[in-house]
Amino acid sequence: MQLVVLIKQTFDTEEKIELANGAVAEDGVKFIMNPYDEYALEEALRLREAHGGSVTVVSCGTDRATETLRTALAMGADEAVLIAQDGLPDDGSAVAAVLATAVRELKPDLVLAGLFAVDRGAGSIALQVAERLGLPSASAVLKLSVEDGGGAAGGQAASRASWGGGDGRIAVAERDTEWGVETVAIPLPALITAQQGLNEPRYPSLPGIMKAKRKPLRQLGAAELGLDAAALAPRTERASLLPPPARAAGRKLSGAPAEQAEQLAELLQREAKLF
Amino acid sequence: MTDTTVKALVYAECLDGKLRRVALEALGAARLLAGDGGSVHAVLVGGGPGAALQEAAAELAARGAGVVHVVDDPALAGFAPEAYAAAIGAAVAAAQPSIIVLGHTAAGRELAPRVAAGIGGGHVADVTAIEPGGDGGAAALLTRPLYAGKAFEQRRFLPGAPQVITVRPNNLPVAEPVAPGGEGWIAALPYQAPPLWTVVRGIARKAGGTVDLAEADVIVAGGRGVRSPEGFAPLAALAEVLGGAVGASRGACDAGYCDYALQIGQTGKTVTPKLYIACGISGAIQHLAGMSQSRVIVAINKDPEAPIFGVADYGIVGDLFEVVPLLTQRFRTLFNKTG
């Protein structure tokens, strides 16, 4: 089974965000693999262990993202592709166009991505990739298995992926929604996004780290994917970057627990005008 | 202004046959973005009994949707994203909007990227505030959080790009009713379901009466200080009295005290309730990112130095197992008196 995992390098979630000169300061910041992408990668590695095949990780980022891709290779991915972010506009549609083109060439049976990246938090690009490639999708997946689909007996339409693929198999996914945990079946090739709780990602092993140094890591520019300016035209732009509204510490309530509870109820009603 | 072109289309999401509040917030956003001269359409999608959709349609029509397109088809009984995206596509074909607004919900997050990619548009996600562009042709400024609220950006669409926007629940005002006589009309929209990929095999519903975290007005959240799964019981009791939801910090989830679905923070959910009560949560930076935009924050913690007190409007240094039941009791008495 050909598995492709979309990966983004992000700030560590423990990092403070400092703004300087209209940008987020990156000096001395620790970068990590987006936590949700770690779940996606771990799941891909487990699927490869169960079904055979290979895992390719794909990222669009700066040169610094090679560190994160090496981590992915050390965890067990077979190959990595890094598409240079330099020269691309700051817009999700352009990134989705680039990733879709790179993924199409890999002819995957299943594409896995994180539910969202902890920096931008939009959760849009992976699903834009699915739409561009004609792939079914299941989002916020908590549990995943790949099964024999039994042909058309399930009454399910085939994926529209231009490369065929999937071998008549289906992905069965439990996903986190506001209406409950929903179990869905979708035909492969397909895309899933990983929700926290899907698995417990492994740490890279020492032999894994040694092996990763010799695994292929291809670096490409958007032009090498055959994308022209029109395909990469941005739809949106950032107008400004702002710190969060300041929040001052309030007051601590004194007295015995019962008095504190009474005061708080009173303050929430009268001062905060709640209830 | 006599511009009668359709400016905006709202995907009016229903949950359990009822219009969600975020659908009315999305309608409010669409009206703001369309301006006084532009018209706003809504699309209602479902495969349930028509009556439920008709009731929702009437509410949308009364709150400023000029036309409510109703797509009622058996293919839409379960949430197959491709079928729902096609229904929105049918409404886009009918209304020719330049702006499409959805809620940033499980369904909206799934549909908006597909709709955007399908029409060659951009997607600005998780919008928490809108500054309309005005008549001068300037683009509206859309505020959205970065790093779960450690910073914010304002984005705008570039000229000519179809605009897809998802709005975060609980942040924008709902659309106000229009003057009597100004109601929109309701029309069934012809729809041909695409070949279906998604088979919904089952849904394990959440426990009855549970309020969704993203839309909750009140959240009572627990951290490591709750010490066990059973430790969440007093928090759940307080949440119930206040009509709210229970949340958790990463520490509580990692310790196995509760499900990851409850996690609030930079990993997990970002929430903006009217009242957030943090119980036994120290306030790690990644948790603060997920909740510090709440309107009123209460912290209950044994450690007077806990960082959570730095963002709390009201702090109680004490044992949550002592304080929380007292609060529950206090509110129960108060509500019984007034209600």
Side-chain angles (χ1 to χ4, degrees):
Chain A
M1 189 157 54
Q2 296 302 311
L3 298 143
V4 168
V5 186
L6 303 181
I7 285 188
K8 186 177 188 185
Q9 187 182 50
T10 61
F11 275 45
D12 191 320
T13 54
E14 301 301 322
E15 292 287 348
K16 285 201 175 84
I17 301 298
E18 311 272 359
L19 306 183
N21 306 319
V24 176
E26 299 189 344
D27 298 345
V29 164
K30 186 182 170 207
F31 287 89
I32 58 167
M33 187 185 306
N34 176 42
Y36 289 87
D37 301 349
E38 271 193 341
Y39 301 120
L41 174 57
E42 175 61 34
E43 200 64 15
L45 296 172
R46 291 182 189 195
L47 285 168
R48 186 192 61 192
E49 284 156 12
H51 300 275
S54 75
V55 174
T56 305
V57 290
V58 177
S59 185
C60 179
T62 62
D63 276 349
R64 195 186 51 229
T66 53
E67 296 160 19
T68 293
L69 291 176
R70 287 281 172 216
T71 303
L73 293 170
M75 283 171 73
D78 299 285
E79 283 182 51
V81 179
L82 175 61
I83 303 148
Q85 189 184 299
D86 290 351
L88 291 181
D90 164 36
D91 180 61
S93 311
V95 176
V98 164
L99 290 174
T101 306
V103 170
R104 187 186 286 118
E105 287 180 4
L106 296 166
K107 302 183 171 54
D109 297 301
L110 184 65
V111 183
L112 302 97
L115 176 60
F116 60 86
V118 296
D119 48 11
R120 300 291 178 107
S124 187
I125 288 173
L127 291 161
Q128 289 192 41
V129 169
E131 180 67 20
R132 283 170 175 271
L133 297 177
L135 299 181
S137 59
S139 285
V141 171
L142 297 164
K143 196 173 173 198
L144 181 68
S145 63
V146 170
E147 300 172 7
D148 193 338
Q156 244 165 312
S159 178
R160 286 202 310 275
S162 60
W163 58 92
D167 292 335
R169 282 172 295 187
I170 57 171
V172 178
E174 288 182 15
R175 44 185 235 100
D176 174 31
T177 74
E178 288 138 8
W179 50 93
V181 175
E182 185 180 76
T183 306
V184 296
I186 52 174
L188 300 188
L191 178 143
I192 69 108
T193 68
Q195 169 67 305
Q196 196 169 35
L198 176 60
N199 52 45
E200 189 63 49
R202 68 194 66 188
Y203 289 99
S205 66
L206 193 57
I209 293 167
M210 299 311 290
K211 269 194 222 165
K213 291 178 181 162
R214 297 188 302 272
K215 287 180 178 174
L217 194 164
R218 277 194 293 151
Q219 286 189 254
L220 303 171
E224 289 165 81
L225 290 165
L227 287 158
D228 56 20
L232 301 174
R235 272 72 168 179
T236 69
E237 66 180 5
R238 177 179 285 169
S240 66
L241 187 64
L242 313 159
R247 183 152 205 144
R251 63 181 117 143
K252 289 193 182 135
L253 310 180
S254 53
E259 290 162 355
Q260 289 173 319
E262 192 171 334
Q263 271 184 70
L264 179 61
E266 171 88 14
L267 286 164
L268 290 177
Q269 267 200 314
R270 309 252 179 268
E271 191 177 87
K273 307 266 188 262
L274 293 165
F275 312 116
Chain B
M1 293 281 286
T2 53
D3 182 2
T4 53
T5 52
V6 178
K7 288 278 175 63
L9 174 74
V10 173
Y11 168 65
E13 185 181 344
C14 293
L15 190 60
D16 297 328
K18 283 203 186 107
L19 202 57
R20 294 184 67 165
R21 186 170 67 186
V22 69
L24 296 177
E25 292 165 358
L27 179 59
R31 285 177 60 185
L32 187 64
L33 288 163
D36 291 337
S39 69
V40 173
H41 287 199
V43 57
L44 260 173
V45 177
L53 287 184
Q54 288 305 322
E55 202 175 298
E59 176 146 23
L60 293 163
R63 289 176 184 266
V67 180
V68 183
H69 303 276
V70 179
V71 186
D72 190 352
D73 191 282
L76 301 162
F79 183 70
E82 64 280 10
Y84 274 64
I88 296 173
V92 169
Q96 300 284 323
S98 52
I99 305 166
I100 303 165
V101 187
L102 306 88
H104 196 72
T105 59
R109 289 198 312 257
E110 181 104 24
L111 296 170
R114 285 195 177 271
V115 171
I119 60 175
H123 176 201
V124 176
D126 204 16
V127 169
T128 56
I130 296 173
E131 263 177 54
D135 289 336
L141 294 177
L142 307 164
T143 304
R144 60 181 308 278
L146 297 169
Y147 309 94
K150 291 177 187 171
F152 285 80
E153 66 171 343
Q154 286 186 311
R155 294 195 79 81
R156 62 180 160 230
F157 282 91
L158 293 164
Q163 308 182 11
V164 178
I165 297 164
T166 47
V167 297
R168 175 184 289 192
N170 262 0
N171 280 259
L172 298 164
V174 298
E176 292 297 326
V178 292
E183 295 92 348
W185 46 283
I186 298 164
L189 184 67
Y191 168 73
Q192 178 67 50
L196 286 190
W197 287 324
T198 308
V199 174
V200 178
R201 292 192 172 176
I203 299 168
R205 298 267 170 198
K206 290 179 183 163
T210 324
V211 183
D212 184 68
L213 272 178
E215 284 190 285
D217 279 333
V218 177
I219 293 175
V220 183
R224 279 193 187 273
V226 301
R227 297 205 299 261
S228 70
E230 296 72 37
F232 269 95
L235 277 58
L238 177 57
E240 195 192 336
V241 169
L242 299 176
V246 174
S249 72
R250 180 178 189 160
C253 296
D254 282 348
Y257 302 162
C258 65
D259 204 75
Y260 278 113
L262 300 188
Q263 185 173 320
I264 291 162
Q266 199 172 353
T267 47
K269 297 186 169 83
T270 306
V271 296
T272 38
K274 292 196 177 88
L275 173 61
Y276 189 93
I277 305 179
C279 309
I281 293 176
S282 63
I285 182 165
Q286 84 110 343
H287 182 76
L288 298 183
M291 47 64 76
S292 54
Q293 304 303 315
S294 306
R295 188 153 83 76
V296 178
I297 296 172
V298 172
I300 303 167
N301 202 301
K302 276 182 177 171
D303 174 9
E305 304 302 323
I308 190 79
F309 288 118
V311 298
D313 300 283
Y314 306 110
I316 293 180
V317 179
D319 181 356
L320 74 96
F321 293 107
E322 223 174 331
V323 175
V324 172
L326 286 166
L327 264 178
T328 307
Q329 206 176 32
R330 185 75 205 151
F331 277 112
R332 198 171 276 144
T333 317
L334 273 173
F335 293 157
N336 280 343
K337 251 183 227 164
T338 53

